[in-house]
Amino acid sequence: MLAEERLARIVDVVGRQGTATVPELAGLLGISESTIRRDLDKLDQAHRLVKVHGGATTLESAHLTRDLTLEERHGLHAGEKRAICAHAATLVGPDDLVYLDAGSTVEELLSHLAERRARYVTDSVSHATMLAGRGFNVTVLGGELKSATEALVGPDAIATLSRYHFTIGFWGANGITPESGFTSPESNEALIKQLSMEHTARRYVLADATKFDSTSLVGFGLFSSATIITCGDVPERYRAFDNVVEVSL
């Protein structure tokens, strides 16, 4: 078996099952565990899966327990994100004060925004840089910089947020259920999400369908506290909720 074929089979097994152990993969492919471990290192570095102790898991599964880096998140459900963000961008008006959450889905929104008369505020250094480069009026919060998501957190960010009253805002979420609401893997960033939502009149969570029926570690908002704009294979039970808006690819 060629090396690339072997790597593709590993990705396929982990993708179908959600997770797989080193002995399991070695048995399925008929190769040594040491070769599997080397292959998992390569696939992890290429952001095709996430290597964990004793095996591997999908990027989506890992996203519930830790923040994926922006590089890891790029390319995940790209078509769905484009459709979601193309719709979301039309909601911004010229008089809006807009809050933009950190993360890859909201990052996709930046390229769709066309309203230059609005004012934008974000906790993401990379988002602010991209918007400023396009000539938008943008303010970036102060605070401690998280390297994985390039988000600003901590007391300074909280103090700055407390002064604002946003007319509209957009957030990403790692998990969404009616019972647990919107969830994220890291407490400091979840606090910024929660506070910014509390200071926003019209709240939108941008999430592809894989985020439904998943719960991450820290809650930052009730399910009913925001309109969810989504795309993809949305579980049937969510179609009955008035605050779930499906857009087509």
Side-chain angles (χ1 to χ4, degrees), residues 60-113:
E60 287 86 352
S61 297
H63 200 24
L64 292 174
T65 56
R66 72 167 175 88
D67 280 321
L68 299 182
T69 65
L70 291 177
E71 186 178 2
E72 287 175 317
R73 283 183 270 180
H74 284 154
L76 281 177
H77 313 292
E80 290 89 342
K81 288 179 180 178
R82 280 193 296 271
I84 290 166
C85 293
H87 175 80
T90 66
L91 303 174
V92 178
D95 299 321
D96 278 321
L97 177 59
V98 187
Y99 183 78
L100 300 170
D101 181 37
S104 61
T105 303
V106 177
E107 181 183 36
E108 173 65 30
L109 174 62
L110 305 184
S111 62
H112 297 272
L113 291 171

Side-chain angles (χ1 to χ4, degrees), residues 132-193:
R134 293 182 58 204
F136 283 76
N137 182 341
V138 58
T139 298
V140 62
L141 302 181
E144 177 186 349
L145 180 64
K146 284 185 60 182
S147 59
T149 59
E150 298 184 9
L152 292 158
V153 298
D156 289 338
I158 291 170
T160 304
L161 271 177
S162 299
R163 298 198 299 268
Y164 283 99
H165 298 281
F166 305 103
T167 59
I168 188 171
F170 302 94
W171 293 263
N174 297 60
I176 300 173
T177 70
E179 299 79 17
S180 301
F182 307 116
T183 51
S184 178
E186 203 276 321
S187 59
N188 287 322
E189 195 160 349
L191 182 58
I192 297 298
K193 289 174 180 283

Side-chain angles (χ1 to χ4, degrees), residues 36-81:
I36 289 293
R37 291 189 183 92
R38 287 194 295 271
D39 286 347
L40 293 182
D41 283 334
K42 294 177 183 177
L43 292 168
D44 183 277
Q45 291 168 9
H47 308 310
R48 296 173 67 183
L49 50 70
V50 176
K51 184 180 180 182
V52 297
H53 181 70
T57 187
T58 61
L59 288 167
E60 287 86 352
S61 297
H63 200 24
L64 292 174
T65 56
R66 72 167 175 88
D67 280 321
L68 299 182
T69 65
L70 291 177
E71 186 178 2
E72 287 175 317
R73 283 183 270 180
H74 284 154
L76 281 177
H77 313 292
E80 290 89 342
K81 288 179 180 178

Side-chain angles (χ1 to χ4, degrees), residues 188-214:
N188 287 322
E189 195 160 349
L191 182 58
I192 297 298
K193 289 174 180 283
Q194 178 182 338
L195 182 60
S196 56
M197 289 184 80
E198 290 173 353
H199 282 247
T200 302
R202 292 178 287 143
R203 300 177 288 270
Y204 295 91
V205 170
L206 312 180
D208 65 81
T210 64
K211 302 302 191 302
F212 291 108
D213 284 337
S214 296

